[in-house]
Structures are given as structure tokens and as C-alpha cells.
PDB file of all heavy atoms in Angstrom:
ATOM      1  N   ALA A 191      -7.034 -12.109 -12.331  1.00  0.00           N
ATOM      2  CA  ALA A 191      -7.750 -12.996 -13.247  1.00  0.00           C
ATOM      3  C   ALA A 191      -9.248 -12.950 -13.004  1.00  0.00           C
ATOM      4  O   ALA A 191     -10.034 -13.182 -13.917  1.00  0.00           O
ATOM      5  CB  ALA A 191      -7.248 -14.430 -13.106  1.00  0.00           C
ATOM      6  N   GLY A 192      -9.664 -12.687 -11.761  1.00  0.00           N
ATOM      7  CA  GLY A 192     -11.091 -12.644 -11.468  1.00  0.00           C
ATOM      8  C   GLY A 192     -11.352 -12.646  -9.978  1.00  0.00           C
ATOM      9  O   GLY A 192     -10.438 -12.495  -9.160  1.00  0.00           O
ATOM     10  N   LEU A 193     -12.617 -12.805  -9.630  1.00  0.00           N
ATOM     11  CA  LEU A 193     -13.051 -12.792  -8.235  1.00  0.00           C
ATOM     12  C   LEU A 193     -13.701 -14.126  -7.885  1.00  0.00           C
ATOM     13  O   LEU A 193     -14.378 -14.740  -8.703  1.00  0.00           O
ATOM     14  CB  LEU A 193     -14.047 -11.658  -7.991  1.00  0.00           C
ATOM     15  CG  LEU A 193     -13.499 -10.240  -8.090  1.00  0.00           C
ATOM     16  CD1 LEU A 193     -14.645  -9.246  -8.157  1.00  0.00           C
ATOM     17  CD2 LEU A 193     -12.604  -9.925  -6.906  1.00  0.00           C
ATOM     18  N   LEU A 194     -13.501 -14.544  -6.644  1.00  0.00           N
ATOM     19  CA  LEU A 194     -14.102 -15.760  -6.110  1.00  0.00           C
ATOM     20  C   LEU A 194     -14.866 -15.385  -4.856  1.00  0.00           C
ATOM     21  O   LEU A 194     -14.359 -14.624  -4.016  1.00  0.00           O
ATOM     22  CB  LEU A 194     -13.012 -16.788  -5.769  1.00  0.00           C
ATOM     23  CG  LEU A 194     -13.435 -17.988  -4.912  1.00  0.00           C
ATOM     24  CD1 LEU A 194     -14.304 -18.943  -5.717  1.00  0.00           C
ATOM     25  CD2 LEU A 194     -12.207 -18.721  -4.371  1.00  0.00           C
ATOM     26  N   THR A 195     -16.081 -15.871  -4.729  1.00  0.00           N
ATOM     27  CA  THR A 195     -16.828 -15.668  -3.491  1.00  0.00           C
ATOM     28  C   THR A 195     -17.074 -17.025  -2.849  1.00  0.00           C
ATOM     29  O   THR A 195     -17.456 -17.988  -3.526  1.00  0.00           O
ATOM     30  CB  THR A 195     -18.162 -14.931  -3.738  1.00  0.00           C
ATOM     31  OG1 THR A 195     -18.863 -14.785  -2.499  1.00  0.00           O
ATOM     32  CG2 THR A 195     -19.037 -15.648  -4.742  1.00  0.00           C
ATOM     33  N   ALA A 196     -16.808 -17.121  -1.545  1.00  0.00           N
ATOM     34  CA  ALA A 196     -16.965 -18.382  -0.825  1.00  0.00           C
ATOM     35  C   ALA A 196     -17.255 -18.094   0.637  1.00  0.00           C
ATOM     36  O   ALA A 196     -16.537 -17.325   1.278  1.00  0.00           O
ATOM     37  CB  ALA A 196     -15.699 -19.233  -0.945  1.00  0.00           C
ATOM     38  N   GLU A 197     -18.334 -18.695   1.143  1.00  0.00           N
ATOM     39  CA  GLU A 197     -18.700 -18.604   2.558  1.00  0.00           C
ATOM     40  C   GLU A 197     -18.717 -17.154   3.055  1.00  0.00           C
ATOM     41  O   GLU A 197     -18.239 -16.839   4.140  1.00  0.00           O
ATOM     42  CB  GLU A 197     -17.734 -19.446   3.398  1.00  0.00           C
ATOM     43  CG  GLU A 197     -17.768 -20.930   3.033  1.00  0.00           C
ATOM     44  CD  GLU A 197     -16.789 -21.747   3.852  1.00  0.00           C
ATOM     45  OE1 GLU A 197     -15.908 -21.147   4.503  1.00  0.00           O
ATOM     46  OE2 GLU A 197     -16.910 -22.976   3.846  1.00  0.00           O
ATOM     47  N   GLY A 198     -19.298 -16.287   2.249  1.00  0.00           N
ATOM     48  CA  GLY A 198     -19.467 -14.904   2.664  1.00  0.00           C
ATOM     49  C   GLY A 198     -18.244 -14.020   2.488  1.00  0.00           C
ATOM     50  O   GLY A 198     -18.278 -12.846   2.833  1.00  0.00           O
ATOM     51  N   ARG A 199     -17.154 -14.573   1.969  1.00  0.00           N
ATOM     52  CA  ARG A 199     -15.943 -13.774   1.751  1.00  0.00           C
ATOM     53  C   ARG A 199     -15.652 -13.654   0.259  1.00  0.00           C
ATOM     54  O   ARG A 199     -16.036 -14.503  -0.531  1.00  0.00           O
ATOM     55  CB  ARG A 199     -14.737 -14.406   2.458  1.00  0.00           C
ATOM     56  CG  ARG A 199     -14.843 -14.431   3.979  1.00  0.00           C
ATOM     57  CD  ARG A 199     -13.501 -14.825   4.586  1.00  0.00           C
ATOM     58  NE  ARG A 199     -13.530 -14.794   6.028  1.00  0.00           N
ATOM     59  CZ  ARG A 199     -13.708 -15.867   6.803  1.00  0.00           C
ATOM     60  NH1 ARG A 199     -13.866 -17.056   6.242  1.00  0.00           N
ATOM     61  NH2 ARG A 199     -13.714 -15.758   8.113  1.00  0.00           N
ATOM     62  N   TRP A 200     -14.923 -12.572  -0.078  1.00  0.00           N
ATOM     63  CA  TRP A 200     -14.527 -12.355  -1.465  1.00  0.00           C
ATOM     64  C   TRP A 200     -13.004 -12.437  -1.581  1.00  0.00           C
ATOM     65  O   TRP A 200     -12.280 -11.977  -0.693  1.00  0.00           O
ATOM     66  CB  TRP A 200     -14.997 -10.981  -1.951  1.00  0.00           C
ATOM     67  CG  TRP A 200     -16.457 -10.944  -2.280  1.00  0.00           C
ATOM     68  CD1 TRP A 200     -17.494 -10.765  -1.401  1.00  0.00           C
ATOM     69  CD2 TRP A 200     -17.059 -11.080  -3.564  1.00  0.00           C
ATOM     70  NE1 TRP A 200     -18.692 -10.796  -2.055  1.00  0.00           N
ATOM     71  CE2 TRP A 200     -18.459 -10.979  -3.389  1.00  0.00           C
ATOM     72  CE3 TRP A 200     -16.547 -11.286  -4.848  1.00  0.00           C
ATOM     73  CZ2 TRP A 200     -19.350 -11.063  -4.450  1.00  0.00           C
ATOM     74  CZ3 TRP A 200     -17.446 -11.366  -5.918  1.00  0.00           C
ATOM     75  CH2 TRP A 200     -18.822 -11.262  -5.715  1.00  0.00           C
ATOM     76  N   TYR A 201     -12.560 -13.042  -2.678  1.00  0.00           N
ATOM     77  CA  TYR A 201     -11.132 -13.216  -2.923  1.00  0.00           C
ATOM     78  C   TYR A 201     -10.786 -12.684  -4.313  1.00  0.00           C
ATOM     79  O   TYR A 201     -11.519 -12.922  -5.280  1.00  0.00           O
ATOM     80  CB  TYR A 201     -10.743 -14.696  -2.872  1.00  0.00           C
ATOM     81  CG  TYR A 201     -11.000 -15.376  -1.552  1.00  0.00           C
ATOM     82  CD1 TYR A 201     -12.292 -15.813  -1.221  1.00  0.00           C
ATOM     83  CD2 TYR A 201      -9.983 -15.610  -0.635  1.00  0.00           C
ATOM     84  CE1 TYR A 201     -12.554 -16.445  -0.015  1.00  0.00           C
ATOM     85  CE2 TYR A 201     -10.227 -16.257   0.574  1.00  0.00           C
ATOM     86  CZ  TYR A 201     -11.517 -16.664   0.878  1.00  0.00           C
ATOM     87  OH  TYR A 201     -11.770 -17.306   2.076  1.00  0.00           O
ATOM     88  N   LEU A 202      -9.653 -12.013  -4.393  1.00  0.00           N
ATOM     89  CA  LEU A 202      -9.082 -11.662  -5.688  1.00  0.00           C
ATOM     90  C   LEU A 202      -8.165 -12.810  -6.103  1.00  0.00           C
ATOM     91  O   LEU A 202      -7.242 -13.163  -5.369  1.00  0.00           O
ATOM     92  CB  LEU A 202      -8.283 -10.362  -5.582  1.00  0.00           C
ATOM     93  CG  LEU A 202      -7.395 -10.021  -6.785  1.00  0.00           C
ATOM     94  CD1 LEU A 202      -8.237  -9.749  -8.023  1.00  0.00           C
ATOM     95  CD2 LEU A 202      -6.495  -8.820  -6.459  1.00  0.00           C
ATOM     96  N   ILE A 203      -8.434 -13.394  -7.259  1.00  0.00           N
ATOM     97  CA  ILE A 203      -7.606 -14.480  -7.778  1.00  0.00           C
ATOM     98  C   ILE A 203      -6.718 -13.905  -8.879  1.00  0.00           C
ATOM     99  O   ILE A 203      -7.208 -13.213  -9.785  1.00  0.00           O
ATOM    100  CB  ILE A 203      -8.453 -15.625  -8.356  1.00  0.00           C
ATOM    101  CG1 ILE A 203      -9.491 -16.092  -7.331  1.00  0.00           C
ATOM    102  CG2 ILE A 203      -7.559 -16.790  -8.784  1.00  0.00           C
ATOM    103  CD1 ILE A 203      -8.910 -16.617  -6.045  1.00  0.00           C
ATOM    104  N   GLY A 204      -5.426 -14.155  -8.797  1.00  0.00           N
ATOM    105  CA  GLY A 204      -4.534 -13.620  -9.816  1.00  0.00           C
ATOM    106  C   GLY A 204      -3.158 -14.256  -9.755  1.00  0.00           C
ATOM    107  O   GLY A 204      -2.879 -15.109  -8.912  1.00  0.00           O
ATOM    108  N   TRP A 205      -2.310 -13.826 -10.673  1.00  0.00           N
ATOM    109  CA  TRP A 205      -0.930 -14.297 -10.713  1.00  0.00           C
ATOM    110  C   TRP A 205      -0.080 -13.345  -9.891  1.00  0.00           C
ATOM    111  O   TRP A 205       0.007 -12.164 -10.183  1.00  0.00           O
ATOM    112  CB  TRP A 205      -0.414 -14.349 -12.139  1.00  0.00           C
ATOM    113  CG  TRP A 205       1.001 -14.810 -12.246  1.00  0.00           C
ATOM    114  CD1 TRP A 205       2.115 -14.028 -12.308  1.00  0.00           C
ATOM    115  CD2 TRP A 205       1.463 -16.170 -12.260  1.00  0.00           C
ATOM    116  NE1 TRP A 205       3.253 -14.807 -12.374  1.00  0.00           N
ATOM    117  CE2 TRP A 205       2.876 -16.137 -12.359  1.00  0.00           C
ATOM    118  CE3 TRP A 205       0.825 -17.406 -12.216  1.00  0.00           C
ATOM    119  CZ2 TRP A 205       3.642 -17.290 -12.402  1.00  0.00           C
ATOM    120  CZ3 TRP A 205       1.591 -18.554 -12.271  1.00  0.00           C
ATOM    121  CH2 TRP A 205       2.980 -18.492 -12.355  1.00  0.00           C
ATOM    122  N   CYS A 206       0.501 -13.881  -8.808  1.00  0.00           N
ATOM    123  CA  CYS A 206       1.334 -13.063  -7.928  1.00  0.00           C
ATOM    124  C   CYS A 206       2.756 -13.049  -8.481  1.00  0.00           C
ATOM    125  O   CYS A 206       3.425 -14.082  -8.526  1.00  0.00           O
ATOM    126  CB  CYS A 206       1.315 -13.629  -6.512  1.00  0.00           C
ATOM    127  SG  CYS A 206       2.361 -12.709  -5.356  1.00  0.00           S
ATOM    128  N   ARG A 207       3.199 -11.882  -8.903  1.00  0.00           N
ATOM    129  CA  ARG A 207       4.550 -11.777  -9.444  1.00  0.00           C
ATOM    130  C   ARG A 207       5.599 -12.004  -8.360  1.00  0.00           C
ATOM    131  O   ARG A 207       6.691 -12.510  -8.634  1.00  0.00           O
ATOM    132  CB  ARG A 207       4.748 -10.389 -10.069  1.00  0.00           C
ATOM    133  CG  ARG A 207       3.971 -10.181 -11.352  1.00  0.00           C
ATOM    134  CD  ARG A 207       4.283  -8.826 -11.956  1.00  0.00           C
ATOM    135  NE  ARG A 207       3.735  -8.692 -13.295  1.00  0.00           N
ATOM    136  CZ  ARG A 207       3.879  -7.599 -14.030  1.00  0.00           C
ATOM    137  NH1 ARG A 207       4.535  -6.549 -13.537  1.00  0.00           N
ATOM    138  NH2 ARG A 207       3.368  -7.545 -15.246  1.00  0.00           N
ATOM    139  N   THR A 208       5.270 -11.645  -7.132  1.00  0.00           N
ATOM    140  CA  THR A 208       6.220 -11.829  -6.033  1.00  0.00           C
ATOM    141  C   THR A 208       6.469 -13.303  -5.771  1.00  0.00           C
ATOM    142  O   THR A 208       7.610 -13.739  -5.584  1.00  0.00           O
ATOM    143  CB  THR A 208       5.692 -11.157  -4.751  1.00  0.00           C
ATOM    144  OG1 THR A 208       5.371  -9.794  -5.038  1.00  0.00           O
ATOM    145  CG2 THR A 208       6.727 -11.211  -3.632  1.00  0.00           C
ATOM    146  N   ARG A 209       5.409 -14.107  -5.740  1.00  0.00           N
ATOM    147  CA  ARG A 209       5.520 -15.545  -5.472  1.00  0.00           C
ATOM    148  C   ARG A 209       5.664 -16.372  -6.754  1.00  0.00           C
ATOM    149  O   ARG A 209       5.871 -17.576  -6.686  1.00  0.00           O
ATOM    150  CB  ARG A 209       4.288 -16.022  -4.702  1.00  0.00           C
ATOM    151  CG  ARG A 209       4.107 -15.353  -3.344  1.00  0.00           C
ATOM    152  CD  ARG A 209       5.178 -15.772  -2.373  1.00  0.00           C
ATOM    153  NE  ARG A 209       4.923 -15.257  -1.045  1.00  0.00           N
ATOM    154  CZ  ARG A 209       5.476 -14.163  -0.539  1.00  0.00           C
ATOM    155  NH1 ARG A 209       6.340 -13.459  -1.272  1.00  0.00           N
ATOM    156  NH2 ARG A 209       5.182 -13.755   0.679  1.00  0.00           N
ATOM    157  N   ARG A 210       5.494 -15.734  -7.903  1.00  0.00           N
ATOM    158  CA  ARG A 210       5.564 -16.406  -9.195  1.00  0.00           C
ATOM    159  C   ARG A 210       4.608 -17.606  -9.263  1.00  0.00           C
ATOM    160  O   ARG A 210       4.971 -18.711  -9.678  1.00  0.00           O
ATOM    161  CB  ARG A 210       7.000 -16.867  -9.499  1.00  0.00           C
ATOM    162  CG  ARG A 210       7.998 -15.724  -9.608  1.00  0.00           C
ATOM    163  CD  ARG A 210       9.387 -16.246  -9.883  1.00  0.00           C
ATOM    164  NE  ARG A 210      10.347 -15.148  -9.987  1.00  0.00           N
ATOM    165  CZ  ARG A 210      10.617 -14.478 -11.102  1.00  0.00           C
ATOM    166  NH1 ARG A 210       9.980 -14.787 -12.214  1.00  0.00           N
ATOM    167  NH2 ARG A 210      11.505 -13.499 -11.101  1.00  0.00           N
ATOM    168  N   ALA A 211       3.398 -17.362  -8.813  1.00  0.00           N
ATOM    169  CA  ALA A 211       2.392 -18.424  -8.790  1.00  0.00           C
ATOM    170  C   ALA A 211       1.010 -17.802  -8.666  1.00  0.00           C
ATOM    171  O   ALA A 211       0.866 -16.629  -8.305  1.00  0.00           O
ATOM    172  CB  ALA A 211       2.650 -19.383  -7.626  1.00  0.00           C
ATOM    173  N   GLY A 212      -0.012 -18.626  -8.955  1.00  0.00           N
ATOM    174  CA  GLY A 212      -1.375 -18.172  -8.758  1.00  0.00           C
ATOM    175  C   GLY A 212      -1.691 -18.082  -7.270  1.00  0.00           C
ATOM    176  O   GLY A 212      -1.284 -18.945  -6.492  1.00  0.00           O
ATOM    177  N   ARG A 213      -2.389 -17.054  -6.875  1.00  0.00           N
ATOM    178  CA  ARG A 213      -2.728 -16.853  -5.467  1.00  0.00           C
ATOM    179  C   ARG A 213      -4.131 -16.276  -5.337  1.00  0.00           C
ATOM    180  O   ARG A 213      -4.655 -15.641  -6.245  1.00  0.00           O
ATOM    181  CB  ARG A 213      -1.743 -15.890  -4.794  1.00  0.00           C
ATOM    182  CG  ARG A 213      -0.357 -16.465  -4.540  1.00  0.00           C
ATOM    183  CD  ARG A 213      -0.389 -17.512  -3.435  1.00  0.00           C
ATOM    184  NE  ARG A 213       0.937 -17.949  -3.044  1.00  0.00           N
ATOM    185  CZ  ARG A 213       1.587 -18.966  -3.605  1.00  0.00           C
ATOM    186  NH1 ARG A 213       1.024 -19.627  -4.611  1.00  0.00           N
ATOM    187  NH2 ARG A 213       2.786 -19.316  -3.167  1.00  0.00           N
ATOM    188  N   GLY A 214      -4.738 -16.523  -4.161  1.00  0.00           N
ATOM    189  CA  GLY A 214      -6.011 -15.907  -3.806  1.00  0.00           C
ATOM    190  C   GLY A 214      -5.795 -14.948  -2.652  1.00  0.00           C
ATOM    191  O   GLY A 214      -5.128 -15.288  -1.664  1.00  0.00           O
ATOM    192  N   PHE A 215      -6.322 -13.735  -2.765  1.00  0.00           N
ATOM    193  CA  PHE A 215      -6.141 -12.709  -1.730  1.00  0.00           C
ATOM    194  C   PHE A 215      -7.503 -12.323  -1.168  1.00  0.00           C
ATOM    195  O   PHE A 215      -8.360 -11.809  -1.896  1.00  0.00           O
ATOM    196  CB  PHE A 215      -5.454 -11.476  -2.317  1.00  0.00           C
ATOM    197  CG  PHE A 215      -4.106 -11.753  -2.922  1.00  0.00           C
ATOM    198  CD1 PHE A 215      -3.992 -12.053  -4.274  1.00  0.00           C
ATOM    199  CD2 PHE A 215      -2.957 -11.718  -2.144  1.00  0.00           C
ATOM    200  CE1 PHE A 215      -2.761 -12.315  -4.842  1.00  0.00           C
ATOM    201  CE2 PHE A 215      -1.721 -11.984  -2.699  1.00  0.00           C
ATOM    202  CZ  PHE A 215      -1.615 -12.286  -4.055  1.00  0.00           C
ATOM    203  N   ARG A 216      -7.711 -12.592   0.123  1.00  0.00           N
ATOM    204  CA  ARG A 216      -8.964 -12.178   0.760  1.00  0.00           C
ATOM    205  C   ARG A 216      -9.053 -10.662   0.764  1.00  0.00           C
ATOM    206  O   ARG A 216      -8.142  -9.979   1.238  1.00  0.00           O
ATOM    207  CB  ARG A 216      -9.033 -12.707   2.191  1.00  0.00           C
ATOM    208  CG  ARG A 216      -9.737 -14.032   2.310  1.00  0.00           C
ATOM    209  CD  ARG A 216      -9.765 -14.566   3.706  1.00  0.00           C
ATOM    210  NE  ARG A 216     -10.282 -13.628   4.697  1.00  0.00           N
ATOM    211  CZ  ARG A 216     -10.472 -13.941   5.975  1.00  0.00           C
ATOM    212  NH1 ARG A 216     -10.159 -15.168   6.394  1.00  0.00           N
ATOM    213  NH2 ARG A 216     -10.943 -13.059   6.822  1.00  0.00           N
TER     214      ARG A 216
END
């Protein structure tokens, strides 16, 4: 869905098909 930057780190935000939920991945 997009990217999030926080406290010097970057996260991929998306829908995880494995968990069937929205997740953030560092």
C-alpha cells in the first residue's frame, strides 16, 4: 500500500495475505 518512515527506519505497509491483515514490515 505504501511506505512509512519513522525514527530513521523505513517500513513497507501492505496487506499480508499470510496473516490476512494489514502489516508493517521493517
Side-chain angles (χ1 to χ4, degrees):
L193 292 166
L194 167 72
T195 179
E197 299 179 346
R199 295 191 177 98
W200 283 83
Y201 299 80
L202 168 65
I203 307 299
W205 179 265
C206 178
R207 289 184 170 180
T208 307
R209 299 292 186 262
R210 298 179 180 273
R213 287 289 188 271
F215 301 92
R216 267 178 52 175

